[in-house]
Amino acid sequence: LPAPEEAVAMPTMKRVVIIGGGPSAKHCAEKLVGAKNLQVTIVSANKFVEWPLAMPVCLVKPELHDKAISPNFDTFKVKGVEYKFGPVTSVDVSAQTVTYTADGKDEAVPYDALIVATGFGMPLVYPALGTSLADRKAEVLKVGAAIKTASTIVVSGGGPVGLELAGSIRVQYPDKKVVLVSRSKIVAGLCSCLARRSSPGTPRRRRTRSWACSRA
């Protein structure tokens, strides 16, 4: 009699979980979703997408905020990827699970491989985890109104975001005093350059006095 055929082992589906709902998470998912025997899940804290690079300008000019938002997350989704929404509260590397909160309940998502693509954390420039689109819009409007009514604005941080925010305030409100607090000596030179940049017709004395730099 012929020998019985050996059972063919079925390939095991591997589970990849991506934490984050922005462009980095999307690009990771696009690269992985076409692979065989791979299940890709994205856990996004918010149900909308906001472009953080535009926020230093949008905080000064809130009327531009809608241009920096994708309010319908469905248009941002990658086909073939499973999506779960809610802030991640913990990662258990021993059990290989990611726990997130949705509608007040904790849900665990198992993984074989984990990718953290959350970007950077920065108050105001990034929306709070789990916030609604309406609350985020209200927050941006509130910050914009505070900047508009203030006579002096202090920006803490001399990196690209701090400089961009300070510069946006400077351009929109040339009569306000902008104080940039930074650890770096390099920023003082940049402030001097920015102080000389203004629209035609602005007196040099007014331009120079509106900038101040401090090391911390």
Side-chain angles (χ1 to χ4, degrees):
L1 295 175
E5 296 182 1
E6 294 182 0
V8 178
M10 296 298 293
T12 303
M13 184 72 74
K14 295 294 184 180
R15 301 160 299 185
V16 178
V17 173
I18 303 172
I19 301 175
S24 297
K26 177 182 173 69
H27 294 327
C28 286
E30 288 173 337
K31 293 294 184 182
L32 294 171
V33 73
K36 292 183 179 179
N37 305 319
L38 208 61
Q39 176 186 338
V40 181
T41 301
I42 284 181
V43 183
S44 175
N46 301 325
K47 293 184 178 181
F48 62 92
V49 180
E50 185 179 84
W51 312 108
L53 294 179
M55 291 315 297
V57 175
C58 294
L59 290 173
V60 181
K61 301 177 70 175
E63 65 271 18
L64 299 178
H65 190 209
D66 283 342
K67 296 183 178 181
I69 291 178
S70 179
N72 183 2
F73 204 101
D74 288 340
T75 62
F76 196 72
K77 287 182 177 179
V78 178
K79 187 177 180 180
V81 174
E82 181 181 8
Y83 283 82
K84 297 182 181 298
F85 294 97
V88 170
T89 56
S90 66
V91 175
D92 189 331
V93 295
S94 298
Q96 291 189 299
T97 58
V98 172
T99 301
Y100 71 100
T101 300
D103 299 324
K105 298 180 180 180
D106 289 342
E107 301 286 344
V109 184
Y111 68 84
D112 296 297
L114 177 65
I115 298 174
V116 180
T118 53
F120 58 87
M122 191 173 292
L124 300 182
V125 175
Y126 256 55
L129 299 180
T131 191
S132 68
L133 179 58
D135 287 345
R136 176 56 173 165
K137 285 187 173 184
E139 180 182 40
V140 172
L141 287 171
K142 183 178 178 179
V143 173
I147 291 174
K148 184 176 181 179
T149 57
S151 57
T152 301
I153 299 106
V154 178
V155 178
S156 178
V161 175
L163 286 171
E164 181 71 19
L165 178 58
S168 297
I169 297 171
R170 167 73 178 144
V171 170
Q172 184 71 10
Y173 303 107
D175 292 329
K176 296 184 184 295
K177 181 179 180 180
V178 182
V179 179
L180 186 64
V181 181
S182 174
R183 300 177 183 177
S184 174
K185 295 180 180 179
I186 299 174
V187 177
L190 291 172
C191 285
S192 298
C193 293
L194 288 169
R196 291 191 289 269
R197 293 176 58 189
S198 65
S199 57
T202 303
R204 180 181 179 86
R205 180 180 299 176
R206 182 189 300 173
R207 296 201 305 263
T208 306
R209 285 195 309 196
S210 65
W211 272 97
C213 287
S214 176
R215 293 183 64 201

